[in-house]
Each structure stands twice: as structure tokens, then as C-alpha cells.
């Protein structure tokens, strides 16, 4: 009898242990599209910009690709992965036309303060007031997770913008960051060697931001090789093409990024480590203007609407709500604590945002 009870206890312990392990096995991929407006995400190409010769070189070509009769068709044309697949399996928040709102809580409405808020869960208007290459005094969730036994060496960040090593405070946090024009280092795969070569040979239009294909493939190769549990990937082209006033390139870049995210999703679903265990969370660091029309190029506290953002999530245990069509108010400081919760980590008191359900 005593033996039987012991056996039963052992069996229960084994079951609970398996359950605990599977909860701890969740992986998170956090992705940002720099300065991509909710307006294009939810309604596709903008009628005031798509045929506007001030912002588009090849109007016919752009309209052929992205102009359709209705906003619903236009958004599918622009972001087919989001609107054909993610809408069925996940959640798309931020369509203000339907009452779903997502806002920044920082009042700066440009990149460093936006990424600081997304990655730490707390806006810091007192200290994060420029895009200068300043070591972040705040602690990101990448650093927090890297400082736990489960997360040690299982975190990585990739960005197109060369300020990310500072935002993540790579030095202090020990989180590896590949950003700007950095190459892959260490024991390189053939693809990484080729990417390193190409990055020199395909010049970026900008001084501090590389083309997103490099960021994407460095991240993907690292995931195949090292299997990090928490990955941050920041695509940057949309913001820079918008500042350039090039609406054609802005749309093509958004369309391409949609396909890159599909590529990541498909990789995770055929990889044993990530399959059915991975949550995707996608957002942007700030919005942009709409009126006057030229403010679509800019953002910052003087640009009306630049604090309006959006949020997309899908993957393990994410309820399939589709496009959210009811009144709600989410904030960008909620993503960091939500990720800690998903990873089974405590949420420190200094984090201002509250986790999403
Ligand atoms: Zn910008």
C-alpha cells in the first residue's frame, strides 16, 4: 500500500513537472516595424499619397500593386500575411476607426523613447529625450531575462538601426545585439559569411540604418543555430523611406516586411524547438502624421497622431480574436510585462505597464 502511494505521488510529480516544463518552454519573438502607421496597416495604401507625384515616382506601378477599390482589399494587397493568416490565428489591435486604440505613454514620439518604452515597460521622459547613442540607464526585459538561470545566453537582439546596442545596453546587459552595419561574428554558417560580404557590397541609402533583409537573415541564421528563447528584431526601412518622402518605397518595404515575418513564422513552425511553443508580438515605436498631408513623413511630439500605434500577436495560447472591433485602450508599456509573464518571470514593481490578458 505504502509503495502504491509512493508510486502515485511519483506519477503526479512527473505529470506536474512536465506541465511546468511546457509552460517554461514558451519562446517569444518581439518584432517592430519602425514608424509604420496604423493607417496603412488597417486601410492599406493612402488615397491621398498613392497617386501623389510629390511622393511617388511610378504612380502606375504602385497603384497596380496596392490600389484596390476598398480599404479591406487594399490592406490585404499591402500585407497579405497579416490579413490572410494572422487575422485568422491571432489578434490585430489598433484600428481606431473601430474604437481599438493603442498608444505610447511616452510623450516624445520618436524612436529611442519608443523602444525604451516597449523594451522596459516604462516610459522615461525625464532621461530618454533624444536618439543619441547613450547607454540606456533603464533595464530592458532582454537584460532581465538574460539575468535569470532560464534565460542566460538565450536572448538576442537584431536591429537595422545602429543605436540598438545602446538602447539594449549591450555592454551592461550582456545581450548580444547585431545592429546597424555590424557583421555576424563567431563560428559562422555559410549564409552568415555571405551576408557579411553582401552587407559591404549592397550600400544602404542611409548612414545609420541598414536594409532590413540583412537584419532579418542575421536573426534567422542565429535562431537556427543558437535557438534563443527571447528574440527582438527591429526592422527599420519604413521609417527612413517615410522621412525621405518616398511613399512608393515605404509601401514596398511594409509589403516586404510582412513577407519577412511570414518567413520567420514558417521557420518556427518547422523547427522542433519553436514549433507550437512560440508567441509573436509585433508593434511599432511611434506613429506619424496625417494632417497636414506632408506630416506623414515625420513624427515627434509636435506631429498630431504620432503617439498612435498598433499591436499584433499570434502563436502559442494566443486567442484568435482577429481584428479587434470593439472599444479598447492598450498602451505600449504593456508589452514588456506581458512578455515577462509569458516567460514565467516575475514582474518587477518599477515596471509601470500592466500585462495584457
Ligand atoms: Zn523617424
Amino acid at each position: 500500500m505504502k509503495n502504491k502511494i509512493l508510486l502515485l505521488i511519483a506519477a503526479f510529480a512527473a505529470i506536474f513537472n512536465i506541465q511546468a516544463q511546457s509552460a517554461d518552454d514558451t519562446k517569444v519573438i518581439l518584432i517592430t516595424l519602425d514608424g509604420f502607421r496604423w493607417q496603412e496597416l488597417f486601410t492599406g495604401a493612402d488615397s491621398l499619397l498613392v497617386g501623389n507625384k510629390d511622393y511617388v515616382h511610378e504612380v502606375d506601378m504602385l497603384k497596380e500593386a496596392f490600389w484596390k477599390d476598398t480599404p479591406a482589399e487594399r490592406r490585404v494587397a499591402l500585407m497579405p500575411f497579416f490579413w490572410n493568416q494572422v487575422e485568422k490565428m491571432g489578434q490585430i489591435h489598433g484600428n481606431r476607426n473601430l474604437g481599438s486604440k493603442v498608444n505610447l505613454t511616452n510623450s516624445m514620439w520618436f524612436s529611442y523613447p519608443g523602444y525604451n518604452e516597449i523594451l522596459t515597460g516604462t516610459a522615461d521622459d525625464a532621461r530618454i529625450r533624444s536618439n543619441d547613442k547613450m547607454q540606456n540607464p533603464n533595464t530592458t526585459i532582454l537584460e532581465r531575462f538574460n539575468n535569470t538561470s532560464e534565460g542566460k545566453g538565450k536572448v538576442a537582439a537584431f536591429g537595422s538601426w545602429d543605436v540598438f546596442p545602446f538602447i539594449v545596453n549591450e555592454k551592461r546587459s550582456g545581450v548580444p545585439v547585431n545592429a546597424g552595419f555590424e557583421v555576424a561574428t563567431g563560428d559562422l554558417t555559410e549564409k552568415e559569411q555571405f551576408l557579411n560580404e553582401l552587407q559591404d557590397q549592397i550600400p544602404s541609402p542611409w548612414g545609420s540604418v541598414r536594409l532590413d533583409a540583412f537584419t532579418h537573415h542575421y536573426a534567422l541564421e542565429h535562431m537556427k543555430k543558437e535557438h534563443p528563447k527571447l528574440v527582438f528584431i527591429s526592422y527599420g526601412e519604413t521609417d527612413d523611406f517615410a522621412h525621405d518622402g518616398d511613399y512608393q518605397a515605404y509601401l514596398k518595404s511594409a509589403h516586404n516586411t510582412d513577407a519577412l515575418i511570414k518567413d520567420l513564422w514558417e521557420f518556427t513552425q518547422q523547427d522542433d524547438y519553436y514549433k507550437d511553443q512560440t508567441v509573436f508580438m509585433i508593434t511599432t515605436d511611434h506613429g506619424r502624421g496625417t494632417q497636414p498631408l506632408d506630416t506623414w513623413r515625420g513624427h515627434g511630439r509636435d506631429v498630431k497622431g504620432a503617439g498612435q500605434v498598433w499591436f499584433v500577436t499570434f502563436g502559442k495560447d494566443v486567442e484568435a480574436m482577429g481584428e479587434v472591433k470593439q472599444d479598447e485602450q492598450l498602451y505600449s508599456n504593456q508589452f514588456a510585462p506581458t512578455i515577462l509573464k509569458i516567460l514565467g518571470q516575475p514582474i518587477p514593481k518599477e515596471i509601470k505597464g500592466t500585462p495584457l490578458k
Side-chain angles (χ1 to χ4, degrees):
M1 187 64 188
K2 208 177 175 189
N3 273 347
K4 265 192 181 164
I5 290 170
L6 281 177
L7 269 176
L8 265 177
I9 290 171
F12 275 117
I15 289 165
F16 282 113
N17 195 22
I18 287 163
Q19 283 181 341
Q21 270 186 359
S22 88
D24 285 344
D25 268 354
T26 307
K27 289 87 186 175
V28 179
I29 320 278
L30 172 65
I31 297 170
T32 53
L33 278 69
D34 199 305
F36 181 57
R37 296 194 300 185
W38 67 267
Q39 286 88 349
E40 274 86 12
L41 172 59
F42 290 100
T43 65
D46 186 326
S47 63
L48 301 175
L49 295 171
V50 71
N52 190 323
K53 294 222 163 76
D54 289 343
Y55 305 116
V56 178
H57 305 293
E58 296 155 289
V59 168
D60 291 346
M61 190 218 76
L62 197 64
K63 282 192 170 173
E64 173 69 29
F66 300 123
W67 187 253
K68 313 284 168 201
D69 290 339
T70 66
E73 293 169 282
R74 292 200 283 274
R75 71 188 188 184
V76 175
L78 186 63
M79 305 190 85
F81 174 62
F82 276 42
W83 291 109
N84 289 328
Q85 283 174 261
V86 173
E87 197 197 8
K88 289 197 185 82
M89 64 178 167
Q91 304 175 13
I92 307 183
H93 301 262
N95 190 348
R96 304 178 94 87
N97 300 328
L98 304 176
S100 168
K101 301 186 180 77
V102 189
N103 282 73
L104 297 170
T105 67
N106 78 77
S107 63
M108 301 289 152
W109 303 354
F110 56 85
S111 286
Y112 197 143
Y115 291 116
N116 174 70
E117 177 173 348
I118 292 166
L119 292 171
T120 67
T122 311
D124 184 359
D125 286 352
R127 292 187 296 187
I128 311 293
R129 307 178 62 84
S130 81
N131 281 337
D132 293 349
K133 288 179 175 167
M134 172 188 79
Q135 295 292 356
N136 196 344
N138 305 305
T139 309
T140 69
I141 51 161
L142 308 177
E143 180 171 357
R144 288 187 194 281
F145 192 53
N146 194 48
N147 283 334
T148 65
S149 53
E150 308 95 288
K152 190 95 228 153
K154 288 278 177 191
V155 184
F158 299 85
S160 295
W161 189 31
D162 68 0
V163 183
F164 278 107
F166 300 85
I167 298 173
V168 174
N169 203 328
E170 184 173 18
K171 257 192 190 156
R172 183 190 66 211
S173 67
V175 173
V177 182
N178 177 317
F181 300 93
E182 286 182 68
V183 293
T185 54
D187 196 6
L188 300 181
T189 65
E190 249 178 70
K191 265 198 184 170
E192 284 171 326
Q193 290 174 27
F194 189 48
L195 286 169
N196 287 353
E197 267 179 56
L198 278 186
Q199 191 168 228
D200 272 346
Q201 295 168 349
I202 303 180
S204 165
W206 314 290
S208 61
V209 177
R210 69 179 163 203
L211 293 167
D212 288 331
F214 293 105
T215 302
H216 175 78
H217 287 288
Y218 280 130
L220 193 54
E221 284 306 290
H222 183 87
M223 286 169 70
K224 288 178 188 168
K225 206 164 61 170
E226 305 291 340
H227 288 101
K229 275 179 109 167
L230 174 58
V231 187
F232 171 56
I233 304 173
S234 172
Y235 299 108
E237 287 174 14
T238 39
D239 186 64
D240 283 89
F241 283 129
H243 284 298
D244 293 348
D246 189 343
Y247 195 65
Q248 180 172 337
Y250 170 81
L251 288 189
K252 283 171 78 177
S253 177
H255 181 69
N256 186 55
T257 310
D258 172 86
L260 296 180
I261 296 169
K262 179 175 193 254
D263 189 33
L264 282 174
W265 168 248
E266 286 174 354
F267 159 69
T268 61
Q269 294 315 294
Q270 50 84 41
D271 180 277
D272 286 342
Y273 181 78
Y274 291 110
K275 186 174 162 48
D276 301 329
Q277 294 292 322
T278 304
V279 178
F280 278 67
M281 294 175 61
I282 312 170
T283 187
T284 184
D285 55 328
H286 54 73
R288 331 190 69 81
T290 52
Q291 282 178 327
L293 187 61
D294 195 57
T295 63
W296 80 272
R297 297 173 60 172
H299 54 91
R301 63 196 316 165
D302 300 328
V303 175
K304 201 173 143 248
Q308 301 173 353
V309 294
W310 49 268
F311 173 62
V312 170
T313 183
F314 54 94
K316 186 187 179 189
D317 294 338
V318 175
E319 188 191 341
M321 294 167 67
E323 180 184 28
V324 176
K325 295 178 174 139
Q326 72 235 21
D327 285 350
E328 64 168 354
Q329 176 70 65
L330 308 184
Y331 294 103
S332 298
N333 66 4
Q334 297 185 273
F335 308 139
T338 303
I339 291 170
L340 288 178
K341 196 173 143 187
I342 292 170
L343 293 170
Q345 297 298 314
I347 297 165
K349 278 207 181 79
E350 65 258 36
I351 292 187
K352 257 243 168 91
T354 52
L356 300 162
K357 270 179 235 154

